[in-house]
Amino acid sequence: MKSPSCLLFNKLHTRFSEDQLRPWEKAFCERHSQKCMDCRELGDTLDLALNLLKDHAYEFEGSDDFEENVIRQWRVEKDKPTVWAYWSPSLIGAAVAAIALLAILQVLAATPQTPNYNAKGQEARRSTSHIPDFPGFPTDLNTR
Amino acid sequence: MVEARVLSQSSPETAAEELRWLSRCREGDESALAALISRHRRRLVYVAANVLRDRHEAEDVAQEAFLKAFRELHKLRDDRAFASFLYRICVRLCLDRLRSRRAEPAEFDRVQPCDGPHVESRVLIEKLLDTMTPDLRTTLVLREMEQLSYEEVAELMRVPVGTVRSRLHTARDRFRKLYLDATSEAR
């Protein structure tokens, strides 16, 4: 199993190469890598791997028509109608139709006013005009 | 070789010129648009190519990043931050691509011209990077290949500097182990 100082070196060594360590950490790493062969190898392998990575950086600048492509796409996007511009004729048509429908409904609903039969102080009265006059029979049925 | 810093501002004249281009861009001036593209295009394609390890995809992403940046220019509060705004979009698009292609088998970009012993080590690098998660891979590439500072990586990836530090530690350690495994297998 690794010693505590190897574990500490493991924790610090990834920042060792770029001077991100405090002075005591740096001194510890230097001292430890001189003493411990495994840890020195570990540091060397990391340097090797990272150098390989840096050596294989892409140096590709893009194709010659890069700018043209971007500008062409930009023009296409700019000229493309927006959602509002695309739907506005339909929306305006729908709004006009809705207003017209409401107006028609208003006109149809405005019928002549019906008389109010429940006016206060009045009551329904039965017609007695068709009843013949009999002696002793009350002519006014409503007063019974 | 690549420039040392991506996001830090260049000379005051260049910065002022860029501000003028941006305001002309908002008015729909295509020549200002072209000027901005030609200023940032090289660097943006580098970043995308190194993160994605595929030049065709890198070019697509860089173009998409420019278009998105121009489309969302109204969201940019400080014009001086245009570079970081643009590169942030590019890194986000790269991460999206990496996440969506993770399930697919690793493929070596055969278009990249290289010959001799370099081919083997390039294939090795592609293979090692492909086995890493998109976040670790991007952090490692931005720091090691693009030479960005911790703060710049944090800004581009929209994470705290502490997260960059810990991701970088994990990424380097994993890369070293993968490299060791791969080279000992080859022996």
Side-chain angles (χ1 to χ4, degrees):
Chain A
M1 195 57 210
K2 284 178 177 175
S3 68
S5 50
C6 287
L7 290 173
L8 182 60
F9 181 85
N10 263 340
K11 209 176 144 191
L12 298 174
H13 82 280
T14 55
R15 286 185 283 144
F16 180 66
S17 56
E18 52 181 2
D19 255 359
Q20 289 272 326
L21 298 177
R22 296 186 195 105
W24 72 266
E25 291 173 329
K26 202 176 167 188
F28 164 79
C29 281
E30 279 167 355
R31 246 183 299 123
H32 185 77
S33 65
Q34 277 171 2
K35 275 192 285 179
C36 179
M37 181 74 172
D38 287 347
C39 287
R40 198 188 319 149
E41 269 185 21
L42 188 133
D44 290 347
T45 320
L46 180 69
D47 288 345
L48 210 65
L50 292 181
N51 283 336
L52 191 72
L53 181 71
K54 283 174 200 163
D55 286 347
H56 286 87
Y58 272 64
E59 302 253 342
F60 172 59
E61 295 180 18
S63 55
D64 294 337
D65 53 357
F66 184 93
E67 280 164 40
E68 280 171 41
N69 283 341
V70 178
I71 295 203
R72 200 182 323 118
Q73 286 180 58
W74 173 249
R75 276 189 204 133
V76 170
E77 274 192 20
K78 214 171 61 176
D79 296 340
K80 204 160 55 175
T82 59
V83 176
W84 167 246
Y86 184 80
W87 287 106
S88 61
S90 333
L91 288 174
I92 290 169
V96 169
I99 291 167
L101 190 70
L102 278 174
I104 291 167
L105 285 174
Q106 283 289 319
V107 169
L108 289 177
T111 51
Q113 232 180 7
T114 47
N116 186 2
Y117 293 106
N118 291 325
K120 218 173 179 183
Q122 289 186 0
E123 55 187 40
R125 297 183 76 83
R126 198 180 288 172
S127 167
T128 54
S129 58
H130 62 286
I131 301 172
D133 286 343
F134 293 108
F137 193 84
T139 48
D140 192 359
L141 295 173
N142 294 308
T143 54
R144 226 174 358 152
Chain B
M1 197 54 206
V2 290
E3 294 153 40
R5 288 281 181 270
V6 169
L7 307 176
S8 48
Q9 276 294 347
S10 35
S11 68
E13 294 82 33
T14 327
E17 194 178 35
E18 188 159 305
L19 293 181
R20 278 196 299 276
W21 287 340
L22 279 167
S23 63
R24 275 167 50 201
C25 257
R26 288 200 175 88
E27 291 158 12
D29 184 348
E30 279 183 10
S31 62
L33 219 72
L36 279 172
I37 297 169
S38 90
R39 171 163 295 174
H40 293 283
R41 155 224 167 134
R42 189 166 160 254
R43 202 76 190 104
L44 208 64
V45 176
Y46 270 149
V47 172
N50 281 321
V51 174
L52 295 169
R53 311 295 300 175
D54 182 315
R55 37 168 59 196
H56 294 302
E57 218 176 347
E59 193 165 340
D60 276 357
V61 163
Q63 289 184 2
E64 209 179 321
F66 272 118
L67 285 171
K68 199 162 184 215
F70 294 144
R71 213 182 296 138
E72 295 181 357
L73 212 52
H74 61 277
K75 289 185 186 170
L76 183 65
R77 284 187 211 154
D78 182 4
D79 281 2
R80 284 169 297 178
F82 176 73
S84 57
F85 174 69
L86 177 66
Y87 289 94
R88 203 161 48 227
I89 291 174
C90 183
V91 168
R92 214 180 308 143
L93 290 172
C94 287
L95 280 170
D96 288 346
R97 295 254 180 157
L98 284 178
R99 284 178 189 131
S100 66
R101 78 146 100 124
R102 276 200 78 201
E104 293 165 20
E107 199 177 289
F108 176 54
D109 181 7
R110 285 162 209 285
V111 189
Q112 173 72 10
C114 62
D115 48 2
H118 286 293
V119 181
E120 275 176 30
S121 44
R122 186 170 282 280
V123 173
L124 178 67
I125 293 291
E126 313 287 334
K127 219 166 100 182
L128 300 187
L129 286 175
D130 270 334
T131 52
M132 296 175 87
T133 63
D135 285 333
L136 290 185
R137 174 185 174 147
T138 309
T139 312
L140 188 70
V141 167
L142 290 179
R143 176 69 193 152
E144 297 297 338
M145 290 175 137
E146 302 299 328
Q147 308 275 297
L148 299 189
S149 68
Y150 282 47
E151 289 74 22
E152 285 175 324
V153 177
E155 198 189 333
L156 289 188
M157 297 190 74
R158 291 212 161 209
V159 290
V161 178
T163 308
V164 172
R165 221 180 283 278
S166 76
R167 274 186 192 170
L168 205 55
H169 173 75
T170 314
R172 281 174 177 155
D173 208 39
R174 194 160 298 169
F175 192 75
R176 180 190 59 81
K177 280 178 187 153
L178 290 167
Y179 173 77
L180 207 61
D181 289 347
T183 46
S184 58
E185 262 174 36
R187 271 180 220 142

